[in-house]
Each structure stands twice: as C-alpha cells, then as structure tokens.
Amino acid sequence: MTHLLQNYGSRIPLTFTHGEDVYLYDQTGKQYLDFTSGIGVMNLGYSFEAGKAAVKAQVDALAHLSNLYENPLQEDVAALLDFDGQYQAFFANSGTEANEAALKLVRLIKPQQTILSFVDGFHGRTFGAMSATMQDKIQNGFAPLLPGFVKAIYNDVESLAAAVTADTGAIIVEIVQGEGGVTPITADFAAALKAYQAQGILLIVDEVQTGNGRTGKLFAFEHFGLLPDIITSAKGLGNGLPVGVMLAKRDYAPYFSAGKHGSTFGGNPLAMASAKAVLNVLTSADFLAEVRDKADFLSHALQQHLSGKASVKEIRQLGLTVGIALSDEYQVAQVLAEARKHGLLVLSAGHNVIRLLPPLVMTKAQLTEGVELLEAIL
Ligand SMILES: Cc1ncc(COP(=O)(O)O)c(C=O)c1O
C-alpha cells in the first residue's frame, strides 16, 4: 500500500542510497553511471564539495529568511546571473514557477495581449506554464486553460509568421525542446524570433533545462546571438537545491512593483548558498570551454559508435544535451531498462528518443564508457 498519489505512474523499482562523482549507488551497492543528472539538475555531480560546504554552513548560520528583509546572497546570485549588466532577478523554487513569473510580468507589460508558444515545447505543470505547453498529453483534462495562449510549429518560420498578429505580446521558446524530444532550434528560426523581438514582441527564453552551462554557455541562447527580454532558469542552478529564477531586462522592473508577485521560499538562503557556489564554478575561467570541448568529444564518440546502427534514426545534440531518436522497431523504455541492467542511467524524451544529460563534470573516459555501453545495447 502506498501513501503516494500515483501521478508519476509506476516508478522504476530502484532505490538509490547515495551518489558520488557521476555515479549513483542502489541498496545492493550496485553502481550506475548517471547520464541523467537527475533530469538536468546535478550538473556538477554528486561530489560538488564547495556547494555541500556552503549549504552546510548556511544551515548552521540561517536556514530561512523571509523576503521582508535584505538578502545579500540573493544579490550575489543575481549579480552572477546578470551576464551583461542588463537584467534583474526574481527568485522562485522551480522551473514552472520561474515561467509563471515571466508570464505574469508579460501580462503587466502587454495587457490583454497573447503569448505565443510552440508545439512540443515544455514549460511546466502549473496553469500558466501548462497553458504555454502545447502538448495534448500535458494539457488534456485541464480545460479551461488560461486564455490568451497561441501556438505555432517549432523551427517553422512560416507557421510562426502565420501565428503572429498585432495582438501578440510575447513569444516563449526553448533553445532545445528538451522534454519534447531534444530538438535544437535552427539558426533560421532563431533569426526569425530576433526579427519579431525587434518589432516589439517580447522574447522569453526558457532556459530551465538548457541554462547553467548545459550547452557549454551559461545560457543556450548565446549560441544564436539572441538577447531575450526575459530569461527563466532552474534545474542545474542549485545542483540539487530547489532554485528557479526569472531574469528580466531592467527596463521592465517598474512593472513588477511592490505586491505584484512573491514567494515564501524563493531565494531562500540555502538555495542561494548552493546557487552561488554553482555559479562561481560556471563563471570561473575555462570551465565552460571545457564543457564545449567535452561536447565535441561526445559528438565524435556518438558518431563513431552509434551512427549507422539500424536502431538509430538520428542523433541531435547541443552541448551536453543529446537526443538519440530510435527507429520505430525499437522501444525507448526497453533500451532504458537494458541500460539499467548494464549500470547506465539514461532518459527518454518525446517520441522514442533517448535523452542524455550527463553531468558537466563527467570525464571524457566516463563519456566514452557510457557511449560504449549504449553501443552494446543498441
Ligand atoms: C524547459 C523547461 N521548462 C520548465 C520546466 C519545468 O520545471 P519544473 O519541473 O522545475 O517546474 C522544465 C522541466 O522539465 C523544462 O524542461
């Protein structure tokens, strides 16, 4: 008998007792090489000692502080996130909350205007973020959704052009559609978004999964010459502590005036201590260059070991985010189960896609080990 609601379906029957470096260990002591990072969260691995030490010290000093008072740690983290001196931060606790903040801000800046988002995108499970998540399997059963959301097809410039009207206030987009199947944005589509932004449509980039160094840049939009009006981020920002953030250009600060939004836990000292430790690493010299180097290495390894296999339809990648689309005869659930038997953890995404989100600190030898295991399975 379980006391838990079954919204996650039947869980994988594995209980992990601890993590070390880029490995998880189950009750029997079996080791698993983790190519999931807890779905893009444990980007600095399970032995991020600076983060652990910062959180432990913060627990002793002051675990919680309400947002009624000054919070220097929030200032520090916001400053580290403000990569070009144009953004101010609102802290939340998750990706969906970061997106709710963004959607509320847009409503204030562009009253009564619509928000455009893309088929197979994913922005979260709360009502606003879900209304922007154009996937039937996420939205079904929850009508009425929030009004004012319009959809277009991702990476389809004509569909985008047909969907944009004089009422369009904002566009929310992922640089890689992660949950939807690991589809990176095309350069053409990014350029089209930039052109609409130049016409005054607000550009919200959801970096919840792609941010925090995952693609070899602090934010994935940097690969495409975009400068969003609003950025949302979460997942890897706390390396295990729940942190979400919305960054808005300073010009929009007056719209989020006193009382317009808030959170009890958002920007909590524990979360901020962890996020500061994470960002100190991400912004340190050479770290992101190393991630890009590892991403190139992984790309070669995937080509060498997996491309050309009958089971593999396509390999898509941006940085250390990889999607391996399987041929129709192969079932992703079976591949994941087989991988677990071999001591390898990988994810699924979209329709029959294996998703790899290895920790950014994974070594080339460990990356090779994972790819070779996949080769044996596929
Ligand atoms: C791009 C993107 N946005 C938003 C979310 C929602 O984040 P959370 O589960 O922290 O609410 C996710 C989660 O997978 C995501 O990948």
Side-chain angles (χ1 to χ4, degrees):
M1 214 260 289
T2 175
H3 290 281
L4 302 177
L5 283 165
Q6 293 301 293
N7 54 302
Y8 296 109
S10 50
R11 296 184 194 226
I12 296 159
L14 270 180
T15 306
F16 294 113
T17 53
H18 63 288
E20 228 178 272
D21 184 26
V22 294
Y23 298 98
L24 283 171
Y25 296 84
D26 73 13
Q27 278 167 323
T28 68
K30 181 174 169 183
Q31 186 190 64
Y32 295 80
L33 180 59
D34 183 14
F35 268 62
T36 75
S37 307
I39 320 188
V41 170
M42 302 303 287
N43 284 357
L44 299 182
Y46 298 97
S47 301
F48 177 41
E49 299 307 330
K52 287 189 200 179
V55 172
K56 285 176 190 168
Q58 193 60 47
V59 170
D60 286 339
L62 182 64
H64 180 74
L65 185 65
S66 82
N67 279 311
L68 297 172
Y69 303 101
E70 297 286 347
N71 186 333
L73 274 171
Q74 284 186 10
E75 284 290 347
D76 293 348
V77 176
L80 286 163
L81 285 166
D82 186 12
F83 60 100
D84 76 343
Q86 293 195 53
Y87 294 87
Q88 286 179 311
F90 166 80
F91 288 105
N93 312 284
S94 63
T96 201
E97 281 181 64
N99 284 330
E100 290 299 325
L103 299 172
K104 280 182 72 175
L105 182 59
V106 165
R107 282 276 199 261
L108 294 174
I109 303 169
K110 302 262 187 172
Q112 305 296 329
Q113 296 213 311
T114 58
I115 296 166
L116 205 155
S117 62
F118 299 101
V119 174
D120 287 338
F122 186 82
H123 301 293
R125 303 281 193 160
T126 50
F127 258 96
M130 178 175 63
S131 301
T133 294
M134 299 302 179
Q135 296 191 45
D136 290 344
K137 73 169 193 248
I138 305 290
Q139 295 186 339
N140 276 350
F142 294 107
L145 298 173
L146 289 193
F149 287 81
V150 172
K151 68 180 167 192
I153 297 169
Y154 190 64
N155 281 344
D156 183 330
V157 174
E158 282 175 21
S159 165
L160 175 61
V164 170
T165 68
D167 279 340
T168 309
I171 298 174
I172 180 165
V173 66
E174 291 162 274
I175 299 300
V176 180
Q177 284 193 331
E179 302 299 312
V182 190
T183 308
I185 200 166
T186 60
D188 279 5
F189 200 66
L193 292 174
K194 197 172 175 174
Y196 287 115
Q197 186 189 18
Q199 291 171 22
I201 295 176
L202 297 172
L203 181 63
I204 312 169
V205 176
D206 178 340
E207 293 267 357
V208 168
Q209 193 160 145
T210 49
N212 305 303
R214 171 63 40 204
T215 70
K217 301 271 188 187
L218 186 58
F219 296 110
F221 60 73
E222 296 175 65
H223 293 283
F224 295 91
L226 295 173
L227 202 56
D229 298 288
I230 299 172
I231 304 160
T232 57
S233 178
K235 286 196 184 277
L237 185 52
N239 205 63
L241 273 283
V243 195
V245 67
M246 176 196 64
L247 300 168
K249 281 208 175 149
R250 281 174 185 273
D251 300 351
Y252 303 121
Y255 292 94
F256 250 17
S257 55
K260 289 293 185 207
H261 199 48
S263 166
T264 296
F265 290 115
N268 168 292
L270 292 183
M272 292 296 99
S274 194
K276 185 175 173 183
V278 167
L279 287 166
N280 279 336
V281 172
L282 298 185
T283 55
S284 66
D286 298 337
F287 182 84
L288 291 177
E290 278 171 30
V291 174
R292 293 193 291 275
D293 180 49
K294 286 183 204 177
D296 286 345
F297 177 85
L298 179 60
S299 167
H300 286 122
L302 290 165
Q303 287 306 318
Q304 190 189 335
H305 293 275
L306 299 185
S307 74
K309 275 191 166 272
S311 49
V312 174
K313 211 192 262 180
E314 191 184 18
I315 301 173
R316 303 189 281 267
Q317 182 179 359
L318 186 66
L320 288 179
T321 299
V322 174
I324 303 165
L326 295 179
S327 309
D328 296 340
E329 317 78 84
Y330 291 80
Q331 293 303 315
V332 70
Q334 273 168 18
V335 175
L336 264 54
E338 198 58 31
R340 287 194 294 276
K341 281 190 204 152
H342 286 75
L344 175 70
L345 300 175
V346 295
L347 292 159
S348 65
H351 175 66
N352 228 17
V353 176
I354 302 172
R355 178 172 36 155
L356 310 181
L357 295 173
L360 311 182
V361 293
M362 197 174 264
T363 63
K364 289 180 180 174
Q366 290 162 332
L367 289 169
T368 305
E369 189 188 336
V371 173
E372 287 178 353
L373 282 168
L374 275 177
E375 182 180 25
I377 295 160
L378 291 169

